[in-house]
Amino acid sequence: MAGFVVKEDIDKIRSMANLYDVISDDVTLKPSGSQYMGLCPFHDEKTPSFSVNPTNGYWHCFGCGKSGDVFAYVEEREGVDFREALEILADRYHYELHYEQPSRGQGGMQQPKGVTRVRLLEACSEAQNFFAAQLASKEALPARQLLAGRKFQRADCERFGCGYAPLGGHELVRHLSAKGFTIEEMVEAGLARKGPSGAYDYFRGRVTWPIRDTTGRTLGFGARKLYDDDRIAAKYINTPDTKLYHKNQVLYGIDMAKETVRKTHQIVIVEGYTDVMACHLAGVTTAVATCGTAFGEEHAKIVRRLIADEKLGAIQLIGPTQGSRVVFTFDGDSAGQKAALRAFQFDGRFLTQTFVAVAHDGLDPCDLRINDGDAAVRALIKDARPLYDFVIDTIIDRFDTQYTTGQVGAARAVAPILARIRDRSLVNAYTRKAAGRIGVDVASLQQDVLAERRRQGVRAEDIYAPDPQRAPMSREPQQLDAAARHAIVRGDALNQNYYRVDDAVFSTEQQLMGMVVQVPRAFDPVQFGNLNEASFRIPVFRDVFDVVQAVGGLPPEGSPMSAAAWVTSLVQMAGPMLAPVVEQLAAMPLPVVADQQVIEQQREAGPDAPLRAASGQERVYAQQLLVNLLDASCVRRIAQIRAEMKALPEGEAKFRKLAEISALEQQRQQIQDFVFNNGVR
Ligand code: ZN
């Protein structure tokens, strides 16, 4: 495992990566004031609410509330973590990342210079070109026949990247050598092996499928046997684990499925490459397959990130779950067994969204499409049944419950499954359902389940007692995964009614802090110094003001600080709860702008350019906001003092209050004068 990416590299990538370019790949951006607007890639919308500020490198969606910097964008877009986002951007800008080994003496240790990730990607990409081209060769006839026999046309094979690995054993090695790849690179990419008489191809005489990541880059291959005398007996083989390819973290078809998965919150997990092809061709474009391994926790993480549903396997924040589905198709006689294994594998919330689809006669989706056509494949997925129902019914079906012995047997067999359901409301529901189906009374099955739970050492609480309090956040925060924690943080930030812009006070404070974050040079430092915590009425903006104070106030005149560095320092100081608010302010459209030419120049210069000077219009606007805020806080304070005064008897104390009021009135006058006389330059 490689170590940490060195911090300088993170900064380097941040300054190289042009947010405008990166987002433009997916979203058409149109200039709108100092911002660029487009349709949000993260939620369905018809009018643009996705705002991008290339000047400081932050984006925000006013529809779904997501926001962040260029790394957050790539994380969100690709469904990857920070590290992968970094690597994706590094690849894009042809930058070689440096890794640091954790805990080896003092300081970091440079990783030994080996074959780089980028070279491995290039080797895999070239190998895919080679395999795909070979499918048309004379030798590949059996491969073409196999694919045609599964009702795949030539165009289908091209779409899914089907290829052919020649029998000879050296063709790919020769091809890659001619393209300038070293044997070491081929071996590390899992494309070749070293033998006593030199390197030879890893895949020989097989049909191949490219296994890609979410962005469509080839990481490795799956290959099916064609010839009886194949030296490898296994019907399917895959790239061995490499720096790029980890069999527990790849899903064949994810690059083609991810868009629909994101949109529909559904993913279909099938068992083979040809099943993925059959599903997509039949119109089920959310299908993916694991590659030479069973669906595991790492796969589940990818699915959660893509479906981007915090309810899925993480934590239920609001309301009932709606529509998220993870559908497993199982074929053959062992379907029930495989489903039962899943039932024990994941946490309850993931499982309540899990469905099982089993076709008649144990057909897989590929065979189903051959026999019954595309509509049958779509129906198979549509009619998928909840996992627990499927597992429990499969068990009960093994017994003849017309007879008492059958009933007892079924109850005994089903109890261990029920006992392992972690969600207590589900245990109860399914116990009742199962009791009904078997024909035993609920109380007796409950006894069996409780006994089973004791035997399994499951916590000895009374699962059938009435649910005291539905506590959706009952799990300890430290047990949550990052996605769930993120969801909570986001949720809280949004719960602050941040979108109530009809309120004039709210709007003024929001606009002021927006200007502070985006155009800090628009403020007169002296006048800005008149603000204090009491100037703010909206807690969230008071907090952001504190953040500005904590980083040392507005950037000093003449400092070379860039817009990106300014906002980033605020985001970092803000911490996880407040960062989304700062990010939103950074990308929020403002009613005044510098002239378009300045904006264009700024975009071209990128986020590393020093903070630009404010335009006259911007200064006026900043001034007005500041005055409004200071004036409003004076007015509030005066009203407060008046109220206090009423409660006082005539005398010294009352007189002091009166003096306070007159001082405040004077202050108001000064604020107004400042604007109209010398405030605006
Ligand atoms: Zn959105």
Side-chain angles (χ1 to χ4, degrees):
M1 212 38 217
F4 301 115
V5 176
V6 301
K7 186 173 175 305
E8 293 75 45
D9 277 2
I10 297 174
D11 296 339
K12 188 89 187 158
I13 299 286
R14 193 192 296 279
S15 68
M16 279 201 292
N18 185 318
L19 186 69
Y20 179 88
D21 289 346
V22 170
I23 294 181
S24 291
D25 278 352
D26 315 308
V27 182
T28 309
L29 293 172
K30 290 191 175 131
S32 161
S34 57
Q35 316 291 323
Y36 288 82
M37 300 290 291
L39 289 174
C40 178
F42 308 125
H43 83 278
D44 259 326
E45 62 176 8
K46 290 195 177 66
T47 50
S49 52
F50 185 74
S51 174
V52 179
N53 188 337
T55 307
N56 57 34
Y58 282 83
W59 55 273
H60 175 78
C61 174
F62 290 85
C64 62
K66 292 197 162 89
S67 64
D69 57 9
V70 70
F71 298 116
Y73 180 81
V74 175
E75 285 175 49
E76 196 74 52
R77 184 67 183 155
E78 305 296 344
V80 298
D81 60 17
F82 176 78
R83 188 200 176 95
E84 277 177 277
L86 193 66
E87 289 178 345
I88 287 169
L89 286 169
D91 280 353
R92 183 185 163 123
Y93 290 95
H94 306 293
Y95 184 82
E96 186 66 41
L97 291 174
H98 304 84
Y99 294 93
E100 213 173 287
Q101 294 293 14
S103 74
R104 260 287 197 122
Q106 66 273 73
M109 223 179 71
Q110 205 75 355
Q111 231 200 358
K113 198 102 180 109
V115 178
T116 68
R117 198 186 144 83
V118 175
R119 278 303 273 175
L120 294 182
L121 282 167
E122 285 166 359
C124 286
S125 160
E126 194 48 51
Q128 169 55 17
N129 293 343
F130 176 77
F131 289 146
Q134 288 299 307
L135 189 61
S137 70
K138 198 170 156 199
E139 187 196 304
L141 181 65
R144 292 196 297 274
Q145 282 170 337
L146 179 132
L147 291 163
R150 280 159 182 70
K151 277 204 175 166
F152 298 132
Q153 315 286 325
R154 190 176 163 169
D156 304 333
C157 295
E158 282 168 12
R159 172 173 163 193
F160 295 93
C162 306
Y164 175 73
L167 267 169
H170 297 283
E171 283 86 344
L172 180 64
V173 168
R174 268 203 297 273
H175 176 82
L176 291 177
S177 295
K179 293 275 176 185
F181 291 95
T182 65
I183 297 298
E184 197 197 355
E185 286 168 342
M186 296 177 213
V187 172
E188 281 215 21
L191 296 166
R193 290 212 151 163
K194 272 185 201 151
S197 52
Y200 60 91
D201 294 354
Y202 185 80
F203 299 105
R204 283 158 293 168
R206 287 181 174 244
V207 182
T208 62
W209 285 267
I211 297 163
R212 295 175 166 138
D213 67 5
T214 48
T215 63
R217 298 168 311 175
T218 304
L219 307 178
F221 297 89
R224 189 193 188 279
K225 187 174 163 176
L226 279 174
Y227 306 104
D228 289 336
D229 60 350
D230 198 317
R231 275 162 293 184
I232 302 168
K235 194 166 159 192
Y236 284 93
I237 57 170
N238 297 88
T239 298
D241 272 14
T242 69
K243 247 189 225 175
L244 293 181
Y245 182 93
H246 306 282
K247 65 171 180 290
N248 296 327
Q249 295 169 15
V250 290
L251 290 166
Y252 173 69
I254 195 76
D255 52 317
M256 297 174 279
K258 74 168 177 176
E259 277 315 306
T260 338
V261 170
R262 258 189 237 287
K263 275 202 190 108
T264 59
H265 301 293
Q266 171 184 278
I267 191 163
V268 175
I269 293 140
V270 297
E271 299 195 288
Y273 306 114
T274 54
D275 296 326
V276 171
M277 293 173 72
C279 281
H280 279 255
L281 291 169
V284 179
T285 54
T286 54
V288 300
T290 56
C291 306
T293 180
F295 188 87
E297 186 51 44
E298 291 298 314
H299 296 115
K301 277 185 196 159
I302 298 172
V303 168
R304 287 186 193 116
R305 278 203 299 253
L306 265 186
I307 291 193
D309 179 355
E310 57 271 20
K311 296 164 216 112
L312 196 66
I315 190 153
Q316 196 152 340
L317 283 176
I318 354 135
T321 57
Q322 30 172 307
S324 301
R325 297 206 317 164
V326 179
V327 181
F328 286 94
T329 69
F330 296 119
D331 52 72
D333 302 329
S334 56
Q337 225 175 334
K338 290 182 205 165
L341 278 175
R342 296 284 175 277
F344 297 142
Q345 200 178 357
F346 303 106
D347 61 77
R349 286 185 177 88
F350 189 83
L351 292 173
T352 55
Q353 313 291 315
T354 303
F355 294 74
V356 174
V358 176
H360 65 87
D361 300 324
L363 294 181
D364 59 30
C366 181
D367 289 332
L368 185 66
R369 177 169 171 264
I370 296 170
N371 287 344
D372 302 351
D374 290 350
V377 176
R378 291 195 296 271
L380 171 73
I381 304 306
K382 189 172 154 282
D383 299 340
R385 300 170 55 204
L387 176 74
Y388 285 132
D389 284 281
F390 179 82
V391 171
I392 290 165
D393 287 356
T394 308
I395 290 168
I396 296 173
D397 285 345
R398 292 210 303 255
F399 297 89
D400 188 343
T401 50
Q402 277 181 299
Y403 304 98
T404 312
T405 48
Q407 289 175 331
V408 171
R412 292 250 166 87
V414 94
I417 302 284
L418 292 167
R420 291 179 76 157
I421 298 177
R422 290 181 221 184
D423 187 322
R424 54 190 290 154
S425 63
L426 284 181
V427 184
N428 200 5
Y430 277 109
T431 305
R432 288 173 182 282
K433 219 171 182 178
R437 274 217 55 201
I438 300 169
V440 294
D441 66 76
V442 177
S444 93
L445 186 54
Q446 284 180 344
Q447 285 313 309
D448 287 348
V449 174
L450 288 172
E452 190 59 46
R453 277 172 77 95
R454 279 193 295 275
R455 209 180 57 74
Q456 290 177 11
V458 183
R459 239 172 348 123
E461 57 162 341
D462 184 1
I463 42 168
Y464 295 112
D467 201 345
Q469 271 277 302
R470 281 193 69 82
M473 294 210 187
S474 57
R475 286 162 76 195
E476 290 299 309
Q478 58 267 35
Q479 286 179 303
L480 299 174
D481 62 21
R485 272 200 304 271
H486 191 67
I488 292 170
V489 168
R490 278 288 144 89
D492 281 359
L494 294 178
N495 285 341
Q496 298 173 349
N497 273 337
Y498 194 41
Y499 299 100
R500 266 185 315 120
V501 281
D502 51 312
D503 183 338
V505 176
F506 184 94
S507 176
T508 304
E509 295 187 10
Q510 183 193 40
Q511 291 283 315
L512 181 105
M513 290 321 292
M515 288 294 285
V516 168
V517 174
Q518 289 185 33
V519 203
R521 294 259 187 270
F523 292 93
D524 180 290
V526 176
Q527 221 191 348
F528 190 80
N530 288 329
L531 286 177
N532 57 45
E533 279 192 13
S535 313
F536 293 88
R537 265 174 75 193
I538 312 292
V540 69
F541 299 124
R542 188 181 305 139
D543 291 346
V544 176
F545 176 76
D546 284 343
V547 168
V548 173
Q549 300 297 90
V551 300
L554 298 178
E557 205 93 28
S559 90
M561 183 183 258
S562 71
W566 167 239
V567 181
T568 302
S569 70
L570 295 176
V571 167
Q572 278 164 2
M573 183 60 77
M577 294 297 284
L578 211 55
V581 178
V582 177
E583 288 164 358
Q584 168 169 358
L585 291 168
M588 179 181 81
L590 295 165
V592 285
V593 293
D595 59 292
Q596 203 54 42
Q597 212 184 338
V598 174
I599 300 289
E600 285 292 314
Q601 279 168 2
Q602 196 75 31
R603 176 165 78 68
E604 241 118 80
D608 249 7
L611 277 165
R612 67 176 172 84
S615 69
Q617 217 194 358
E618 284 170 329
R619 282 168 188 275
V620 173
Y621 187 58
Q623 202 68 253
Q624 283 168 347
L625 291 168
L626 202 56
V627 166
N628 286 348
L629 210 67
L630 290 170
D631 190 53
S633 79
C634 279
V635 171
R636 274 202 308 280
R637 182 78 191 119
I638 290 169
Q640 198 188 341
I641 297 168
R642 285 226 168 89
E644 287 165 7
M645 226 168 72
K646 270 192 188 154
L648 290 175
E650 297 295 329
E652 178 85 4
K654 200 163 188 167
F655 186 73
R656 272 205 302 276
K657 292 281 178 201
L658 211 58
E660 258 184 80
I661 289 175
S662 109
L664 281 165
E665 290 289 3
Q666 212 174 344
Q667 202 179 319
R668 285 188 68 194
Q669 195 54 48
Q670 277 167 4
I671 293 165
Q672 302 294 341
D673 287 350
F674 191 86
V675 183
F676 295 112
N677 300 329
N678 57 359
V680 182
R681 279 160 286 189

